Amino acid sequence: MIPVIFGLDQSYLFQAFVVMHSVLKNSRKKYHFFLLTKDDIDESAKKLENELKKRYSNFSLSIRKIERYMFTKAKIFNPHLAQAAYYRLLIPELIREYDKCIYLDCDVIVNGDLGELFDIDITDFYLAGVRDCHLISVETVPTTHQKRLGIPSVKDYINSGVLLMNLLKLRKENLVVAFLKQSEKENLYEDQDVLNYCCYGAIKILPLKYNLFHFYCGHTIRYLFDLPYPGSDFMFDWNTPFILHMGGKYKPWLNPVYKGADVWWSLAKIFQNSESYHRYEKNCQINIDREIREKLRRDGKKMPVIIWGFSIRGKGACDILMNKGIPVYSFCDNNSICWGDSYHGILVRDYAEIVKRKYDFIWVVPCKRYYLEICDQLAEYGISQSNIVCFTYETYLYDKSYYRALSPKFYEDELKVIAAYECNRKGMSMEAYFSYLCEQIKTADIADAEYRYIYKKYRFDQWLKSG
């Protein structure tokens, strides 16, 4: 029996079961899954467990409760994490029936037989993990984080999303006490800092394939070539690593344009009768072109667009939609001061004036933060959510990590979005600027000032190259 542990709160329960499905799909060994949580998840977990048991019989499931007072003093510095990240620090004491285990984050996909990882010998180590690509550096070059944490080097600093843990050794040397003490200090990378500090010198380094971030899946793995990974670490299928880690904020259940999303949703589909599946499916932001164009062509007719909010984001959305040939009929804003203003000749109207037109519109909300709030307001006016689209491109335009997390089949679409944002600055049409970018990518002319500008701003060169 191979014990596999997850630390979570209610919001990540569904994702944990998707990971379990990926484990069982690729292995016939017997598994004992554990969920560590403070939340009351028993009923929801049982329903998902029953769905999983319809396909697999080689697993059991246990829930271990974390006391409410635990980690109340632990700080969270990364907004995509929750207090549940610290729960893995208690595993040696909570899972006493085993002397060794695997810990997995809830945002991974397992593509291999997990028994292979479990069989790695860590007798002389506290735990094993993969070097964290965002923190490792040449050992002779001290880093700010290294000094802050108080360790001699970050060369072997590991990511805590996938761990092989020697529970016997951790219990024998009472490491949980040290973990809890360190957890109350300033740990900019939360539990990960705690583990690397307390276990320093007794951590076995695992090959990269056991925890590859989706940012570097496929040909963008080139970004890791200059980091201190041995050459042998790259001897695997870069498109399908043993364990794919969809870290950061770019999750497959939020947007299907990210690497790993196709596989994640195919795994999640066995839970399609659950409330959680339908909630994530409904909220998942699909590609703006596909969604709007499908709705614009409903019944074979083009449907005009209303952009909600006469803001910078609203104007940016207008630029992109117009450059894509999508007709924008009007802006709509609650602020009466804006009524009568215009952008590119497109007027700002109040809702009452718009509904007099009696057209069937698509409503574009260019801000994810207020999307649900605006949906509620439009629902009061009788607008169905099926006619509302959340347009969030501006959020990602200047985030290089977004492009690295992007699935290759969406590269050209994203390059068109960049072109739509930048073409006015150059006094060119979107089509002409898009052609220019495509040519520059082929030639990679670093002497060209415009290429350097775009390259620095978006770093699009690597994610567009193939091979």
Side-chain angles (χ1 to χ4, degrees):
M1 190 79 78
I2 298 175
V4 180
I5 325 296
F6 301 90
L8 51 82
D9 55 26
Q10 178 73 48
S11 65
Y12 268 79
L13 177 63
F14 182 77
Q15 290 87 333
F17 274 90
V18 174
V19 180
M20 292 180 210
H21 184 194
S22 73
V23 171
L24 298 170
K25 183 180 180 180
N26 290 286
S27 178
R28 295 184 179 179
K29 296 180 174 63
K30 293 183 178 181
Y31 291 89
H32 191 173
F33 297 118
F34 289 87
L35 304 179
L36 312 184
T37 185
K38 290 183 180 181
D39 295 344
D40 296 323
I41 63 170
D42 298 59
E43 184 178 347
S44 299
K46 190 63 179 177
K47 291 179 180 178
L48 293 168
E49 180 186 4
N50 289 339
E51 291 298 318
L52 200 55
K53 282 189 172 179
K54 291 179 181 178
R55 295 200 176 201
Y56 306 101
S57 60
N58 57 324
F59 78 96
S60 59
L61 179 69
S62 298
I63 298 174
R64 297 288 162 86
K65 286 297 181 70
I66 306 292
E67 296 291 341
R68 289 286 175 183
Y69 66 85
M70 296 300 296
F71 303 113
T72 54
K73 295 183 180 180
K75 297 179 180 179
I76 299 294
F77 291 90
N78 293 279
H80 66 279
L81 295 181
Q83 195 182 70
Y86 285 98
Y87 297 170
R88 73 199 78 190
L89 304 180
L90 300 175
I91 291 174
E93 296 300 329
L94 291 176
I95 316 296
R96 297 192 69 87
E97 56 263 66
Y98 293 99
D99 291 335
K100 186 181 182 182
C101 77
I102 293 172
Y103 176 87
L104 296 177
D105 273 353
C106 298
D107 56 357
V108 305
I109 294 174
V110 178
N111 295 308
D113 186 339
L114 210 54
E116 176 187 317
L117 173 61
F118 188 74
D119 288 341
I120 293 174
D121 183 17
I122 56 169
T123 304
D124 299 323
F125 301 90
Y126 290 128
L127 47 85
V130 174
R131 290 184 176 95
D132 191 288
C133 56
H134 299 296
L135 282 175
I136 62 174
S137 63
V138 180
E139 191 171 13
T140 56
V141 181
T143 66
T144 302
H145 190 70
Q146 170 188 323
K147 293 178 179 178
R148 180 185 291 113
L149 194 55
I151 57 178
S153 171
V154 292
K155 180 176 179 293
D156 290 332
Y157 183 104
I158 64 166
N159 180 270
S160 62
V162 178
L163 297 170
L164 182 60
M165 305 181 73
N166 185 341
L167 303 183
L168 182 63
K169 185 175 177 64
L170 289 166
R171 282 195 292 265
K172 184 178 179 180
E173 300 187 25
N174 208 21
L175 261 291
V176 171
V177 173
F179 292 163
L180 293 176
K181 183 178 179 180
Q182 180 65 25
S183 71
E184 296 183 2
K185 299 180 180 179
E186 186 179 83
N187 302 290
L188 295 186
Y189 294 96
E190 291 84 17
D191 65 283
Q192 194 166 279
D193 275 358
V194 175
L195 291 168
N196 278 278
Y197 175 80
C198 295
C199 298
Y200 186 85
I203 300 175
K204 186 181 182 72
I205 302 301
L206 298 175
L208 185 60
K209 70 174 183 177
Y210 290 117
N211 186 2
L212 181 71
F213 279 99
H214 64 338
F215 303 116
Y216 309 106
C217 182
H219 58 262
T220 50
I221 200 169
R222 291 188 182 97
Y223 285 104
L224 304 182
F225 284 176
D226 293 332
L227 296 179
Y229 294 104
S232 58
D233 264 23
F234 297 102
M235 303 300 289
F236 66 93
D237 182 352
W238 300 341
N239 293 302
T240 311
F242 194 97
I243 297 178
L244 179 66
H245 190 170
M246 294 161 292
K249 61 185 179 182
Y250 300 116
K251 308 298 188 187
W253 53 89
L254 298 178
N255 194 327
V257 302
Y258 304 135
K259 296 172 186 172
D262 288 349
V263 175
W264 191 90
W265 279 101
S266 68
L267 292 166
K269 197 170 184 178
I270 69 165
F271 305 107
Q272 62 185 326
N273 294 325
S274 71
E275 180 184 343
S276 296
Y277 179 88
H278 290 289
R279 184 175 70 253
Y280 285 115
E281 184 181 45
K282 181 179 180 180
N283 292 333
C284 188
Q285 296 303 312
I286 69 172
N287 179 267
I288 189 70
D289 279 338
R290 185 171 58 192
E291 182 172 4
I292 289 185
R293 289 187 186 282
E294 284 178 359
K295 292 182 177 179
L296 288 175
R297 284 161 175 74
R298 198 177 295 158
D299 300 323
K301 298 178 181 179
K302 287 190 176 182
M303 297 173 63
V305 165
I306 303 292
I307 297 176
W308 186 278
F310 193 58
S311 62
I312 294 176
R313 289 183 176 180
K315 293 173 184 176
C318 182
D319 287 338
I320 290 177
L321 296 175
M322 289 178 66
N323 277 309
K324 289 177 178 294
I326 296 173
V328 177
Y329 174 78
S330 175
F331 289 90
C332 184
D333 202 294
N334 286 326
N335 188 352
S336 60
I337 297 176
C338 298
W339 299 347
D341 283 352
S342 66
Y343 181 71
H344 292 326
I346 300 170
L347 288 176
V348 184
R349 298 179 168 95
D350 72 333
Y351 179 79
E353 183 183 351
I354 291 173
V355 293
K356 291 179 182 177
R357 308 290 172 171
K358 297 182 179 181
Y359 293 150
D360 195 8
F361 295 109
I362 292 297
W363 295 78
V364 171
V365 180
C367 179
K368 187 174 183 180
R369 181 179 178 183
Y370 299 110
Y371 173 66
L372 295 179
E373 180 182 327
I374 293 170
C375 283
D376 290 341
Q377 182 176 345
L378 288 173
E380 294 177 4
Y381 298 144
I383 305 298
S384 168
Q385 190 167 349
S386 65
N387 275 44
I388 307 171
V389 177
C390 183
F391 184 91
T392 57
Y393 267 129
E394 194 205 37
T395 305
Y396 305 119
L397 264 174
Y398 306 113
D399 188 343
K400 301 181 183 80
S401 295
Y402 167 70
Y403 296 116
R404 295 180 190 177
L406 196 67
S407 177
K409 63 183 177 181
F410 295 105
Y411 287 168
E412 183 172 304
D413 289 343
E414 292 300 319
L415 195 61
K416 288 179 180 177
V417 173
I418 293 175
Y421 256 73
E422 298 289 346
C423 63
N424 289 336
R425 178 180 55 81
K426 291 295 290 181
M428 301 169 66
S429 68
M430 192 279 284
E431 293 78 9
Y433 194 74
F434 173 71
S435 297
Y436 166 81
L437 286 180
C438 291
E439 185 61 30
Q440 285 299 305
I441 289 165
K442 293 177 184 177
T443 59
D445 185 5
I446 201 68
D448 185 281
E450 183 66 10
Y451 176 86
R452 291 199 307 272
Y453 169 82
I454 297 293
Y455 169 84
K456 183 178 180 181
K457 194 169 184 179
Y458 302 105
R459 278 309 298 268
F460 60 82
D461 62 320
Q462 288 286 357
W463 57 264
L464 276 169
K465 289 178 181 176
S466 60

